[in-house]
Amino acid sequence: MKIAYLIPTYTDPEHLARLIRALDKDAEFFVHVDAKVDETPFRRAAEAGNVHFLERRFRVLWGDISQVYYQRELLTACMNHPARFDRICLLSGQDYPLWRNDRLLRFFRENSGREFVAGIRLEGQRKNVVRNYRIYRPPVWIPLLSVRNNIRMRVLLRHLTALCGIRKPLRLRAGDRELSVYKGTDWWSCTPALAGWMLDELRRYPEILRFFRTMFVPSELVWPTLAFHSPFAGKALLQEGDYTSLADLTPLHFIDYHPLVKVLDEKDLHRLRESGKPFARKLVTGCSDSLMDRLDRGEGEPA
């Protein structure tokens, strides 16, 4: 079982190194460092033959299409690597494994055909669920302005387009097909077959990214939408009924999201073990060290 871990990061180089050390030594790690920060500390902290830092880097804003661009770049680097992977896992630089590697590898072997990409169709959901996704978000960026002022300008344009009655549809066209938009999360795991299919779709139909470029948090929408319109849809994790929470759409990660992602510490160990999830987010050097020490020792993990 050969795993590729895709890891975007922008902070805490020490934790990135610890995360990589905690995972399978036979895996390959593909890392994107936000172009807004110096990547030198990350390269120094996590220097190893199986750690591959992307040369092409993106200036990332949360909720912006730039998140999709670096995810696509990570997937492309993984698919172009000479190793043949059985499983691709998209993590973040503030994740940590809750399971020992032997258990994790056994789990992925036993679920070799599963696509751990969860999603729920946005059409038909309650108005308060889809409200943000119906807002048109002009992706204007003026290099002469600071990041803060660019964000302020985008918010102003967003309000102006809303006042004009412009709304994003929850369906899009890709070639001769009409696709429903599905919502998921930024943390998922797929087979290389699905990864290759999704990358091919984005190359074949550039209108897909043009559509999502003006939508709220497109990184949580692009990949589930592609997965649930793919030949692999029956192996993905469709949530039916009403939307419940982001945590319920995160198949392999424990997250505490009320309303922001909580920094986990030693007091959370019991909840993490009870969750049955193989990964957790978010852990931070200086706040989560004792928790990670106990996880490394396998405390509370079933045999």
Side-chain angles (χ1 to χ4, degrees), residues 1-7 23-30 50-52 78 81 83-91 97 99-109 112 116 188-192 252 278-279:
M1 173 63 64
K2 183 76 169 176
I3 300 180
Y5 288 103
L6 315 183
I7 308 176
L23 291 167
D24 180 16
K25 62 180 177 58
D26 293 323
E28 300 288 334
F29 300 89
F30 300 85
N50 62 340
V51 180
H52 315 284
C78 163
H81 191 271
R84 183 181 181 277
F85 297 108
D86 302 292
R87 171 66 51 182
I88 299 170
C89 295
L90 179 61
L91 305 180
W99 295 356
R100 295 185 302 270
N101 282 298
D102 57 347
R103 183 183 178 193
L104 191 57
L105 291 170
R106 185 170 65 251
F107 172 80
F108 282 133
R109 276 195 298 268
S112 59
F116 292 98
W188 42 265
S189 173
C190 73
T191 62
L252 299 179
F279 302 103

Side-chain angles (χ1 to χ4, degrees), residues 115-122 125 129 133 181-189 220-221 224 228 236-255 257 277:
E115 306 295 352
F116 292 98
V117 181
I120 190 167
R121 188 178 179 184
L122 283 180
Q125 293 297 319
V129 172
Y133 301 98
V181 175
Y182 285 80
K183 172 181 168 52
T185 69
D186 280 324
W187 313 289
W188 42 265
S189 173
E220 296 179 356
L221 308 175
F228 285 102
L237 305 173
L238 177 64
Q239 184 182 107
E240 300 193 66
D242 292 336
Y243 172 77
T244 50
S245 70
L246 194 71
D248 289 341
L249 286 176
T250 309
L252 299 179
H253 281 65
F254 175 92
I255 57 172
Y257 199 99
K277 301 289 184 72

Side-chain angles (χ1 to χ4, degrees), residues 209-280:
L209 288 189
R210 284 199 298 268
F211 173 86
F212 284 109
R213 189 165 175 256
T214 55
M215 210 162 186
F216 179 59
V217 197
S219 62
E220 296 179 356
L221 308 175
V222 169
W223 310 109
T225 298
L226 290 171
F228 285 102
H229 291 92
S230 77
F232 308 89
K235 297 180 180 181
L237 305 173
L238 177 64
Q239 184 182 107
E240 300 193 66
D242 292 336
Y243 172 77
T244 50
S245 70
L246 194 71
D248 289 341
L249 286 176
T250 309
L252 299 179
H253 281 65
F254 175 92
I255 57 172
D256 187 335
Y257 199 99
H258 300 290
L260 300 175
V261 179
K262 177 184 184 293
V263 175
L264 302 170
D265 57 34
E266 196 172 5
K267 296 188 291 294
D268 297 300
L269 179 63
H270 179 71
R271 290 198 301 150
L272 296 177
R273 292 306 194 202
E274 289 293 311
S275 74
K277 301 289 184 72
F279 302 103

